């Protein structure tokens, strides 16, 4: 999700990542109340002269192509002064709007707000890109210091009654104004976001909201840093190579190198990934090692491994503050407050959607667990399957049933070919866009590559940065965001980055990736397409600046092209022989994709429902969870109430390292269901593509026109209907997962 002027966060959209706190930003210029039609040639008007003189690398727009950040001129010492100057300048710009003696108009109030804060936006976008992808102790220290200041700055603007009086005057007069639909949407969003921030509260309530926001900013930053330390700083260390039996020589060497790096030469260390399940678990033959690795992951931030990394009191405090804030707005809980602008709109809609999947999912989990226990017995084991055994035996059954060797599959996926001959190729076939690698733009890390993106008419669309590899300075997961937002008003084109966490091959070895990595590459580039096809006048409703439960939809839909036969034939080449991936292997991959959904889908459903449990607390209920033991008890009770086999299928994230919902003042809290909701939209969209000829320019152009180019400018149900000609239905999702048989005609649609 993109930055917005009237929200206190700058967010990223991601497949398995958190959002990062910042101050929102907008770009634009003034225009009259009788707004003219959108003009691609419009230029931003000059802002009022600020009282503070801006200095440093963020004082003016970058002179590099597309205003791309010039990392050669940015040092850590620049950030704090830039933030301080930018906040002062932004405050001065807002004060000038308030002091304007002319009657409030769309031009001198709404668009003037859209224009303000540009230096702050430039600083924040680069700073939070680095704290996510290539942080240092120095950047973390700055983050700790600046986050509460940014929160207070945002509140000072959002909750200023004088500013809201002007915004409300324009909003109340909207029926008499001649506005374009995008103008009307910007006005509505500006007003709604200020109300959501607390503009209509009493002075005493606004004071309380400011205090809560400042404290939330501090606590969520602490949570994010604690989880990163718990994940990156607590590898599992074992004494002997024999304990790692089953791993490749490359994995064992990497474990030996990491142990030496961590001060344990002669031993072996396995680094943790961000999710509960760990990628090396299926390969480990030693059951004790599997159990130790799983438990190190599961208990990484609950005090069991290190009291210094215990996040339980932090997350309980965050939950209580959120519940208190919601109550100030008259809402029964945080979920109701947070979902005001979502596609689903109400917690009940999201819960009903998820709960209708639980019976079939629970039955699938029980059936799969029985199969796995039988496979263990066949292997000579005298025990029932546990979470640390699950994927080892699931993969074995999958290999036997579908004759699919995951390592053999990976030999067809070289990372550069996946990106250029797969991801880019599919985008070219669908939308006519093309890409050219460039080396003249500086990056924040040597692993980052850069491409210019060209539209179907050959014109430049923007710039794409690709940062694929795991490193200690990078948080877990994968995500997309912008260095520069698209805006006709500001005359800017998108500068977009994708960040992933692929294990890097040893020097001199061919960089192969798993098919899960391939899917993630297509997913994140789906977000990038959403950003590149932005076609808006105003940055704050441009591209991926959409609701949380819509923004993951285009990225998930883009995953379908990873297994499209024409696309696979172009990029899936054996790294030694050059042979194209066999059709039989593709068929096996597709058949196998429905296997093990009891775990694969179940862990996500459990995390989403756990999120809703935390978000449904009243202030009194939240206040009662005031010890680490009570946090554990609440999580345990909440998971057992779901009706799923949580003892065997652990949630994708436990509360203690659930970055999506606790590492940002709002983020994906009461919104992790979005990954399920948008998968419903994406599976229904995949069905539409299949029914209409698949990978064609006509289909791509239609999808671009009705979805990818629309940003946050219209109702999301209407947007989907404009594309598919129908309301979305969960039937295609359940079928895709193999949880139900193909639905008969007339399956009820998702409710508005």
């Amino acid at each position: 999700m993109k930055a917005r002027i009237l929200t206190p966060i700058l967010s990223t959209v991601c497949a398995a990542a958190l959002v990062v706190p910042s101050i929102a930003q907008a770009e634009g210029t003034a225009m009259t109340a009788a707004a003219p039609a959108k003009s691609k040639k419009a230029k931003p008007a000059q802002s009022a002269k600020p009282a503070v003189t801006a200095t440093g690398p963020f004082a003016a727009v970058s002179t590099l192509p597309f205003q791309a950040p010039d990392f050669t001129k940015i040092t850590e010492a620049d950030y704090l002064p830039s933030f301080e100057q930018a906040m002062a300048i932004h405050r001065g710009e807002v004060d000038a709007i308030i002091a304007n003696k002319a009657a409030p108009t769309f031009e001198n109030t709404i668009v003037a707000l859209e224009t303000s804060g540009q230096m702050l936006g430039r600083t924040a976008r680069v700073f939070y890109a680095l704290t996510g992808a290539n942080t240092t102790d120095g950047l973390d220290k700055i983050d700790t210091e600046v986050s509460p200041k940014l929160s207070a700055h945002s509140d000072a603007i959002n909750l200023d009654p004088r500013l809201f009086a002007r915004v409300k005057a324009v909003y109340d007069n909207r029926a008499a104004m001649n506005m374009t639909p995008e103008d009307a949407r910007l006005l509505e969003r500006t007003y709604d976001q200020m109300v959501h921030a607390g503009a209509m509260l009493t002075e005493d309530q606004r004071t309380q909201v400011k205090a809560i926001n400042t404290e939330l900013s501090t606590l969520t930053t602490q949570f994010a840093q604690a989880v990163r330390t718990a994940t990156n700083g607590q590898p599992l260390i074992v004494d002997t190579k024999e304990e790692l039996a089953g791993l490749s020589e490359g994995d064992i060497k990497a474990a030996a190198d990491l142990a030496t790096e961590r001060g344990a030469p002669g031993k072996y260390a396995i680094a943790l990934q961000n999710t509960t399940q760990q990628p090396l678990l299926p390969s480990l033959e030693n059951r004790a090692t599997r159990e130790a690795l799983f438990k190190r992951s599961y208990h990484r931030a609950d005090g069991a491994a290190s009291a210094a990394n215990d996040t339980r009191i932090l997350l309980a405090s965050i939950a209580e503050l959120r519940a208190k804030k919601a109550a100030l707005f008259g809402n029964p809980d945080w979920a109701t407050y947070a979902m005001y602008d979502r596609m689903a709109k109400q917690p009940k809609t999201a819960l009903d959607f998820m709960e209708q999947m639980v019976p079939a999912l629970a039955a699938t989990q029980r059936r799969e667990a029985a199969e796995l226990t039988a496979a263990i017995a066949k292997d000579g084991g005298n025990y029932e399957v546990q979470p640390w055994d699950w994927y080892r035996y699931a993969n074995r059954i999958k290999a036997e049933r579908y004759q699919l060797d995951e390592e053999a599959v990976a030999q067809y996926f070289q990372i550069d070919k996946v990106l250029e001959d797969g991801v880019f190729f599919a985008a070219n076939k669908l939308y006519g866009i093309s890409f050219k690698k460039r080396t003249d733009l500086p990056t924040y890390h040597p692993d980052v590559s850069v491409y210019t993106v060209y539209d179907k008419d050959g014109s430049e669309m923007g710039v794409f940065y690709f940062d694929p590899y795991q490193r200690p300075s990078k948080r877990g997961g994968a995500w997309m965001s912008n260095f520069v937002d698209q805006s006709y008003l500001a005359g800017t084109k998108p500068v977009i980055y994708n960040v992933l966490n692929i294990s890097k091959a040893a020097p001199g070895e061919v960089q192969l990736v798993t098919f899960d990595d391939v899917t993630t590459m297509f997913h994140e580039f789906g977000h990038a397409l959403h950003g590149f096809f932005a076609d808006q006048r105003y940055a704050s409703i441009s591209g991926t600046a959409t609701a949380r439960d819509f923004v993951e939809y285009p990225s998930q839909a883009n995953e379908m092209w990873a297994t499209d036969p024409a696309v696979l034939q172009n990029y899936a080449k054996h790294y030694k022989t050059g042979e194209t991936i066999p059709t039989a292997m593709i068929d096996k991959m597709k058949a196998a994709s429905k296997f093990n959904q009891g775990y694969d889908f179940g862990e996500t459903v459990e995390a989403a429902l756990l999120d809703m449990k935390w978000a449904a607390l009243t202030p009194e209920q939240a206040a009662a969870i005031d010890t680490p033991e009570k946090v554990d008890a609440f999580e345990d009770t909440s998971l057992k109430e779901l009706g799923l086999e949580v003892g065997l299928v652990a949630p994708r994230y436990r509360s203690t390292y659930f970055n999506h919902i606790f590492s940002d003042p709002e983020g994906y809290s009461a919104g992790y269901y979005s990954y399920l909701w948008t998968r419903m939209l994406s599976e229904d969209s995949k069905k539409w593509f299949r029914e209409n000829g698949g990978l064609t320019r006509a289909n791509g152009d239609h999808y671009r026109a009705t979805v990818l180019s629309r940003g946050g400018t219209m109702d999301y149900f209407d947007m989907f209907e404009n594309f598919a000609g129908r309301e979305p239905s969960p039937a295609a999702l359940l079928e895709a997962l193999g949880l139900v048989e193909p639905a008969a005609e007339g399956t009820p649609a998702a409710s508005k």
Side-chain angles (χ1 to χ4, degrees):
M1 193 175 287
K2 306 322 295 171
R4 299 175 191 167
I5 182 70
L6 294 173
T7 54
I9 57 171
L10 169 68
S11 305
T12 56
V13 289
C14 46
L18 58 143
V19 291
V20 286
S22 170
I23 183 71
Q25 162 279 340
E27 301 172 33
T29 186
M31 61 187 297
T32 61
K38 175 181 67 180
S39 170
K40 297 187 180 183
K41 296 181 180 180
K43 296 182 179 180
Q46 298 297 316
S47 299
K49 185 177 180 180
V52 175
T53 300
T55 60
F58 300 107
V61 297
S62 168
T63 58
L64 294 181
F66 300 93
Q67 301 180 14
D70 190 345
F71 293 103
T72 65
K73 296 180 179 179
I74 301 169
T75 69
E76 287 188 9
D78 293 319
Y79 288 111
L80 273 177
S82 291
F83 272 122
E84 295 290 351
Q85 293 171 23
M87 284 188 281
I89 290 170
H90 190 199
R91 182 69 251 186
E93 291 167 340
V94 173
D95 286 343
I97 295 170
I98 295 169
N100 192 336
K101 295 182 179 180
T105 66
F106 185 79
E107 171 190 355
N108 67 23
T109 302
I110 306 304
V111 182
L113 277 172
E114 180 78 359
T115 308
S116 67
Q118 293 187 36
M119 180 181 176
L120 190 51
R122 288 192 295 270
T123 307
R125 283 193 295 270
V126 173
F127 178 74
Y128 284 106
L130 265 63
T131 57
N134 197 35
T135 197
T136 65
D137 290 343
L139 290 176
D140 285 348
K141 184 177 180 181
I142 294 169
D143 192 9
T144 300
E145 180 177 347
V146 80
S147 289
K149 293 180 179 180
L150 290 169
S151 177
H153 171 75
S154 181
D155 283 341
I157 294 172
N158 291 335
L159 300 178
D160 191 315
R162 301 166 299 165
L163 178 63
F164 182 64
R166 292 188 67 90
V167 171
K168 188 174 186 300
V170 181
Y171 182 79
D172 289 345
N173 191 43
R174 64 193 183 280
M177 298 167 62
N178 179 24
M179 295 186 292
T180 67
E182 191 175 332
D183 296 338
R185 182 63 169 162
L186 177 66
L187 172 59
E188 176 185 288
R189 288 278 289 276
T190 303
Y191 176 82
D192 287 349
Q193 288 171 356
M194 288 195 79
V195 170
H196 184 69
M200 296 187 74
L201 299 178
T202 66
E203 183 176 356
D204 178 63
Q205 289 172 326
R206 290 197 300 271
T207 299
Q208 293 181 64
V209 166
K210 290 177 182 179
I212 288 172
N213 288 346
T214 298
E215 191 169 359
L216 278 173
S217 179
T218 298
L219 293 177
T220 53
T221 298
Q222 291 174 355
F223 184 92
Q225 293 177 357
V227 171
R228 186 173 64 241
T229 299
T231 301
N232 295 339
Q234 299 182 129
L236 174 69
I237 297 178
V238 299
D239 294 326
T240 67
K241 183 177 179 179
E242 288 69 29
E243 292 171 275
L244 302 183
L247 298 188
S248 69
E249 286 301 317
D251 286 332
I252 292 173
K253 182 181 183 303
D257 291 344
L258 180 60
T260 299
E261 179 185 319
R262 297 302 174 94
K267 297 187 178 184
Y268 302 86
I270 300 177
L272 297 182
Q273 303 291 313
N274 63 315
T275 56
T276 300
Q277 278 288 342
Q278 298 295 299
L280 294 184
L281 278 170
S283 300
L284 288 166
E285 295 174 2
N286 187 308
R287 189 170 189 242
T289 306
R290 290 201 306 272
E291 181 177 0
L293 179 57
F294 179 88
K295 289 184 175 179
R296 174 56 60 100
S297 173
Y298 192 79
H299 293 293
R300 73 183 77 173
D302 65 4
S306 170
N309 296 326
D310 192 338
T311 63
R312 288 176 292 179
I313 290 299
L314 271 176
L315 72 88
S317 299
I318 292 167
E320 182 181 1
L321 286 168
R322 286 173 173 168
K324 287 181 177 179
K325 180 176 176 178
L328 288 171
F329 287 82
N331 296 130
D333 51 49
W334 175 255
T336 303
Y337 170 80
M339 291 180 66
Y340 83 105
D341 65 345
R342 306 272 173 83
M343 184 176 178
K345 292 186 171 60
Q346 297 293 330
K348 186 177 186 302
T349 304
L351 285 167
D352 287 349
F353 161 69
M354 289 188 285
E355 287 173 355
Q356 69 179 296
M357 296 183 282
V358 166
L361 181 57
T364 300
Q365 289 179 335
R366 290 190 290 271
R367 183 183 70 250
E368 290 179 351
E371 289 183 64
L372 298 178
T373 296
I376 290 170
K378 182 179 178 182
D379 199 37
N382 186 26
Y383 54 87
E384 294 187 352
V385 66
Q386 295 298 318
W388 47 90
D389 305 313
W390 191 290
Y391 274 100
R392 178 169 178 79
Y393 289 94
N395 286 358
R396 182 172 298 182
I397 293 174
K398 182 194 249 183
E400 292 174 354
R401 183 172 300 172
Y402 303 102
Q403 296 297 299
L404 188 65
D405 183 338
E406 300 285 358
E407 291 187 8
V409 170
Q411 294 178 23
Y412 290 89
F413 300 130
Q414 297 181 62
I415 191 168
D416 290 342
K417 289 185 179 296
V418 174
L419 180 65
E420 297 181 356
D421 299 337
V423 175
F424 290 173
F425 174 81
N428 174 263
K429 291 300 180 185
L430 280 166
Y431 310 110
I433 63 176
S434 56
F435 308 83
K436 184 177 180 181
K437 196 168 188 176
R438 61 191 302 164
T439 58
D440 59 319
L441 293 180
T443 63
Y444 56 83
H445 191 278
D447 286 342
V448 180
S449 53
V450 186
Y451 296 81
T452 301
V453 185
Y454 298 89
D455 208 344
K456 55 188 175 183
D457 62 1
S459 62
E460 294 179 327
M461 294 185 71
V463 176
F464 175 64
Y465 292 69
F466 181 61
D467 180 3
Y469 301 124
Q470 181 184 15
R471 53 181 173 265
S473 61
K474 183 187 288 187
R475 72 172 187 253
W479 62 95
M480 163 270 181
S481 195
N482 286 46
F483 287 125
V484 180
D485 293 330
Q486 179 274 334
S487 167
Y488 293 130
L489 197 58
T492 52
K493 295 183 178 181
V495 178
I496 290 171
Y497 57 91
N498 277 178
V499 181
L500 293 84
N501 267 280
I502 294 171
S503 296
K504 193 173 185 179
E509 292 187 5
V510 176
Q511 181 64 57
L512 301 178
V513 295
T514 68
F515 188 67
D516 282 345
D517 293 330
V518 171
T519 302
T520 300
M521 290 170 67
F522 275 85
H523 177 106
E524 294 307 328
F525 196 73
H527 284 309
L529 288 171
H530 201 182
F532 282 123
F533 290 148
D535 191 31
Q536 279 70 56
R537 184 173 181 81
Y538 307 114
S540 58
I541 50 176
S542 171
T544 57
T546 65
R548 277 282 184 242
D549 56 1
F550 190 84
V551 75
E552 295 295 332
Y553 155 49
S555 55
Q556 289 179 337
N558 200 58
E559 293 175 17
M560 74 179 294
W561 308 116
T563 54
D564 182 88
V567 180
L568 273 168
Q569 293 294 319
N570 196 65
Y571 79 90
K573 310 282 188 179
H574 196 281
Y575 80 102
K576 288 183 178 178
T577 67
E579 172 197 10
T580 301
I581 191 168
T583 301
M585 186 175 282
I586 297 172
D587 292 340
K588 291 175 183 177
M589 287 167 56
K590 290 182 176 179
S593 67
K594 294 184 179 181
F595 179 75
N596 200 41
Q597 289 303 320
Y599 209 115
D600 289 346
F601 190 62
E603 66 171 357
T604 303
V605 173
E606 289 169 8
L609 288 167
L610 179 60
D611 168 34
M612 279 296 193
K613 291 287 188 178
W614 282 110
L617 293 169
T618 66
E620 295 75 22
Q621 290 170 332
I625 305 173
D626 56 0
T627 67
E629 293 73 23
K630 289 180 181 178
V631 170
D632 290 341
F634 177 78
E635 179 182 77
D636 185 59
T637 300
S638 297
L639 288 170
K640 287 179 179 177
E641 287 176 350
L642 302 181
L644 296 172
E645 297 297 316
V646 295
L648 297 174
V649 179
R652 186 169 178 83
Y653 304 98
R654 285 190 70 199
S655 306
T656 49
Y657 48 92
F658 206 160
N659 267 324
H660 288 75
I661 67 171
F662 289 121
S663 288
D664 183 270
E666 292 199 22
Y668 273 82
S669 60
Y672 196 74
Y673 77 89
S674 300
Y675 288 99
L676 307 173
W677 181 270
T678 53
R679 190 164 180 189
M680 170 188 70
L681 301 177
S682 69
E683 292 296 342
D684 212 4
S685 296
K686 292 174 187 177
K687 181 178 180 182
W688 182 93
F689 273 101
R690 290 192 298 268
E691 292 171 345
N692 288 275
L695 186 78
T696 69
R697 275 293 302 279
N699 286 344
D701 288 345
H702 175 65
Y703 190 58
R704 175 177 177 173
T706 54
V707 176
L708 293 180
S709 66
R710 302 306 300 159
T713 62
M714 62 186 297
D715 178 86
Y716 302 111
F717 276 99
D718 292 342
M719 197 183 299
F720 187 90
E721 288 182 45
N722 288 345
F723 159 64
R726 61 174 183 263
E727 290 188 0
S729 165
L733 170 59
L734 296 175
E735 292 170 25
L737 296 171
L739 298 180
V740 299
E741 295 299 321
E745 293 296 324
T747 299
S751 171
K752 281 192 182 185

